[in-house]
Amino acid sequence: MRGLWQLTWIEIKIFLREPLGALGTVFIPVIVFVAMGKLGTKLFQPSELAASRAFRIDIPVFAALLIAVNAVLSLVSIISIYREGGILKRLRATPLRPQTILTAHVLVKLILSAITLALTLFAGKRYYASGDNVHAIGFTIALLISVCSILSIGFLIASIVPTARFAQPIGSVILYPMIALSGLFVPLRAMPPGMRWAARALPLTYCVSLLQGIWKGDQWLAHVGDVAVLAVVFLFCTALSSKVFRWE
Amino acid sequence: MIAPKPIVKVSALRKTYDSFVAVDDISFEVFDGEIFGLIGPNGAGKTTTLECVEGLRTRDSGSITVLGLDPFRDIYKLQDRIGVQLQEAQLQKRIKVKEAVHLWSSLYRKPAADGDRLLEQLGLAEKRNARFMTLSGGQKQRLFIVLALINDPELVFLDELTTGLDPQSRHAIWELVRGIRARGKTVFLTTHLMEEAERLCDRVAIIEHGKIIDIDTPEKLVNKYCPERTVVLTAEDPRAEAYFRGIPRVEEVVRKEMRFTIRGSGDDLVTEVIRCLSENQIRVSDFRTVLPTLEDVFLRVTGRSIRD
Ligand SMILES: Nc1ncnc2c1ncn2[C@@H]1O[C@H](COP(=O)(O)OP(=O)(O)OP(=O)(O)O)[C@@H](O)[C@H]1O
Ligand SMILES: [Mg+2]
């Protein structure tokens, strides 16, 4: 993995130089999250807030998921742009291994998402009475597992979208409905059977279940199933994209 | 003379895109320490050939050996020892010149060449802090040449090295490429500029429709395909025309007032004309010879029509 750190570092710098790069990915989620929290404290009494499932669990999990999905979408579009512009090919004509190039991009996204998430949760701490029983480390691990599997889906998308112009829209069309059906807005129990069946087939549903559970303070044992599904998704997508990925 | 040692050996290379045959069963060798050029019309298969040799494209059949390695199987070992400039490439829009150079020098196992010196040599020193997207076309091209040379490679591939460059840059790059050869390295390039091939290459291969038409030194190719010589002179002597027509191997004498254009073939034509002038004491006020160039060879063997 020679060159991994140099490449990762340069890619972070390049990303932050993008107009809206730092602002769009790091600060906007923080601002939105805090604004929602502020609104909540205006509209409701503290006791109501503490009792509200939405404020206790769903919004923080939603924020985490959204940051992850946005990171993946941005990864998909960067990979497509790099491929179309011949940048990937130019990088591949050096001793850089393909895995190194892709890992660097994943790392960039992970690092930026982690920073965003930490800032978001920290800034919103006052407004979201998640209690002290949230296990930061546990939640981070759960999030990492989720992000890895979503990233692998992203790579699969990046492997097959034909042009950079379609990368972002196609990615959105695939990923955003997954959020809608993930059980975050409508619990699985309340869905009609057909929808529930569809929701069960989507990987994000398992991310939500895992993230909600760990945020609430569930034991890991209760979520072995979720982790297993996400691991399978990860392995499947990674294997498939390594077969169909195009460099130019 | 010691037999030249081949650094690149290609035999019976074939590459198709779907049903289109881009490279059709070609074989050639590039020798240690030479500048080898691949010339041919658009779409002839130069880039395809070069990228198969670099290990960036898979071949359908045939064998390729580069520095004793198979460019497809041993790609990583090979990439440490070669430098590559692609015909069409981009870098990250917002990467700075110095960052690119720094990144590239960190990728190779052996100590890198002096990046700052290379930037200097290619006139990019002032652009060290510029972002890639703000560079002009020629500056980008020069940056890619810097990157191709950053690991001080034993073998450099340059695909259309001076496309889009001004004469100053072109000459600077020719000097640079000769410098690479002077240090015992090998250069494998493609070009559309026949002047470039003629001035720079020790040997050139002419490729068309995926087939190699001929491989030789530029001079030998000129002698072989364009043996004609032309002498243009001005003489006021009324007897001149008849004498000129009597010179052996003269094919045509065109007279326009006092100006004669004498065409013939063979190396001896010029000598024969001079001998004729002195034996017959013909006074000339102007004399010049027009020799065919590699460009004439190129147009003759590949035809004059534009390629699709
Ligand atoms: N990726 C590809 N897919 C399909 N056809 C291709 C591909 N790359 C090249 N070709 C075709 O193969 C032929 C040879 O292309 P190549 O790029 O090797 O030509 P070239 O000699 O380098 O031309 P130029 O002087 O224009 O750079 C062309 O007809 C081109 O259309
Ligand atoms: Mg080409």
Side-chain angles (χ1 to χ4, degrees):
Chain A
M1 287 264 166
R2 175 182 290 269
L4 180 63
W5 297 117
Q6 284 90 343
L7 188 59
T8 307
W9 178 230
I10 282 180
E11 290 292 345
I12 289 180
K13 285 198 283 189
I14 291 170
F15 186 75
L16 294 179
R17 277 177 204 155
E18 204 125 330
L20 281 182
L23 196 72
T25 38
V26 182
F27 294 112
I28 289 179
V30 177
I31 293 164
V32 171
F33 192 64
V34 169
M36 275 170 83
K38 272 222 161 90
L39 195 69
T41 46
K42 264 216 188 95
L43 296 179
F44 306 102
Q45 296 301 314
S47 57
E48 279 178 320
L49 267 186
S52 149
R53 186 189 146 87
F55 268 80
R56 250 183 34 246
I57 304 168
D58 292 346
I59 293 182
V61 169
F62 179 54
L65 206 59
L66 209 55
I67 290 168
V69 167
N70 283 337
V72 171
L73 284 178
S74 127
L75 178 81
V76 171
S77 92
I78 287 185
I79 297 280
S80 323
I81 291 170
Y82 277 27
R83 171 169 52 213
E84 202 162 294
I87 302 170
L88 283 183
K89 186 172 173 190
R90 181 58 271 224
L91 287 172
R92 208 164 58 100
T94 67
L96 270 178
R97 310 267 167 139
Q99 309 87 288
T100 312
I101 300 170
L102 300 181
T103 309
H105 282 282
V106 169
L107 279 178
V108 172
K109 292 299 151 209
L110 283 179
I111 291 167
L112 287 172
S113 312
I115 293 171
T116 313
L117 199 69
L119 280 177
T120 309
L121 294 182
F122 181 75
K125 213 171 155 192
R126 294 167 43 204
Y127 310 108
Y128 298 91
S130 53
D132 302 321
N133 54 355
V134 174
H135 302 285
I137 294 178
F139 188 70
T140 309
I141 295 172
L143 195 58
L144 204 60
I145 295 172
S146 305
V147 169
C148 282
S149 79
I150 305 176
L151 274 173
S152 69
I153 299 172
F155 258 123
L156 193 55
I157 301 172
S159 310
I160 50 194
V161 286
T163 64
R165 232 152 76 81
F166 291 121
Q168 191 94 16
I170 289 179
S172 312
V173 162
I174 295 173
L175 288 172
Y176 285 128
M178 285 198 197
I179 301 186
L181 278 176
S182 65
L184 199 55
F185 305 107
V186 185
L188 253 57
R189 274 173 282 108
M191 288 181 184
M195 233 168 107
R196 194 184 315 151
W197 186 85
R200 285 239 168 81
L202 297 177
L204 279 201
T205 310
Y206 301 90
C207 295
V208 167
S209 159
L210 176 68
L211 291 171
Q212 282 180 333
I214 301 299
W215 183 263
K216 271 193 311 206
D218 283 0
Q219 289 300 310
W220 276 92
L221 221 50
H223 292 281
V224 172
D226 297 333
V227 175
V229 170
L230 294 178
V232 169
V233 168
F234 175 78
L235 292 177
F236 175 77
C237 290
T238 309
L240 196 59
S241 49
S242 73
K243 283 255 183 312
V244 297
F245 193 82
R246 291 175 302 115
W247 291 93
E248 41 177 315
Chain B
M1 205 179 107
I2 320 158
K5 184 176 122 208
I7 289 262
V8 176
K9 271 196 230 174
V10 174
S11 81
L13 173 66
R14 191 181 159 85
K15 170 79 184 174
T16 58
Y17 299 107
D18 298 322
S19 62
F20 178 76
V21 185
V23 171
D24 193 2
D25 199 26
I26 66 174
S27 307
F28 61 91
E29 290 180 342
V30 178
F31 299 129
D32 194 5
E34 77 173 342
I35 300 177
F36 183 85
L38 203 52
I39 61 178
N42 288 143
K46 302 180 293 296
T47 299
T48 304
T49 305
L50 208 62
E51 293 192 357
C52 286
V53 175
E54 291 159 356
L56 294 176
R57 294 194 196 191
T58 54
R59 57 188 184 253
D60 293 353
S61 60
S63 79
I64 305 177
T65 318
V66 182
L67 297 166
L69 301 166
D70 179 316
F72 198 64
R73 258 202 344 262
D74 307 314
I75 177 98
Y76 299 115
K77 259 192 228 158
L78 190 60
Q79 273 166 345
D80 235 21
R81 300 169 61 188
I82 63 174
V84 172
Q85 180 237 325
L86 302 169
Q87 180 178 358
E88 269 169 11
Q90 292 291 322
L91 288 182
Q92 294 92 323
K93 271 161 95 178
R94 294 183 170 77
I95 196 169
K96 290 182 183 170
V97 168
K98 62 173 182 194
E99 286 171 345
V101 172
H102 182 248
L103 175 65
W104 252 252
S105 28
S106 73
L107 299 179
Y108 295 89
R109 206 164 295 133
K110 58 183 198 177
D114 185 348
D116 284 334
R117 237 199 88 199
L118 278 172
L119 285 177
E120 191 96 35
Q121 274 181 305
L122 285 161
L124 286 172
E126 282 164 37
K127 292 286 174 186
R128 290 184 78 250
N129 282 309
R131 294 174 181 192
F132 181 76
M133 63 179 188
T134 66
L135 299 180
S136 76
Q139 291 165 343
K140 286 180 184 168
Q141 178 84 354
R142 284 182 268 152
L143 175 59
F144 282 119
I145 293 179
V146 170
L147 297 182
L149 300 178
I150 199 76
N151 59 328
D152 195 18
E154 296 162 51
L155 168 62
V156 196
F157 295 94
L158 303 168
D159 197 353
E160 299 201 6
L161 68 164
T162 55
T163 302
L165 294 183
D166 58 29
Q168 286 87 344
S169 308
R170 238 176 9 239
H171 283 271
I173 285 169
W174 292 345
E175 268 319 296
L176 195 76
V177 171
R178 291 197 192 98
I180 298 171
R181 176 179 57 189
R183 286 184 296 116
K185 321 274 175 167
T186 309
V187 181
F188 183 177
L189 58 84
T190 77
T191 180
H192 280 141
L193 296 177
M194 293 306 115
E195 187 197 351
E196 181 165 285
E198 206 159 14
R199 285 182 175 214
L200 213 52
C201 296
D202 297 309
R203 290 189 311 137
V204 296
I206 305 177
I207 179 172
E208 184 177 40
H209 296 310
K211 287 199 163 73
I212 287 185
I213 296 178
D214 210 340
I215 308 181
D216 217 324
T217 64
E219 292 126 54
K220 285 197 180 139
L221 288 173
V222 171
N223 283 336
K224 178 165 170 191
Y225 291 97
C226 299
E228 67 272 11
R229 297 288 180 271
T230 305
V231 174
V232 181
L233 55 82
T234 310
E236 307 222 337
D237 200 317
R239 308 165 296 153
E241 186 166 353
Y243 283 127
F244 293 154
R245 290 194 190 279
I247 298 173
R249 305 192 68 185
V250 161
E251 281 147 19
E252 189 186 29
V253 177
V254 177
R255 181 180 161 183
K256 202 174 172 199
E257 292 178 20
M258 293 294 115
R259 209 174 143 88
F260 295 91
T261 304
I262 305 162
R263 293 208 182 83
S265 62
D267 280 339
D268 293 337
L269 182 81
V270 181
T271 319
E272 291 293 343
V273 171
I274 293 174
R275 179 181 300 152
C276 166
L277 293 172
S278 75
E279 275 176 3
N280 300 296
Q281 302 197 335
I282 301 171
R283 283 193 49 180
V284 290
S285 56
D286 181 26
F287 186 99
R288 91 195 136 85
T289 58
V290 183
L291 299 180
T293 61
L294 197 55
E295 184 137 340
D296 299 312
V297 175
F298 185 85
L299 291 173
R300 182 157 300 170
V301 289
T302 62
R304 283 182 178 267
S305 63
I306 294 178
R307 300 315 143 107
D308 38 23

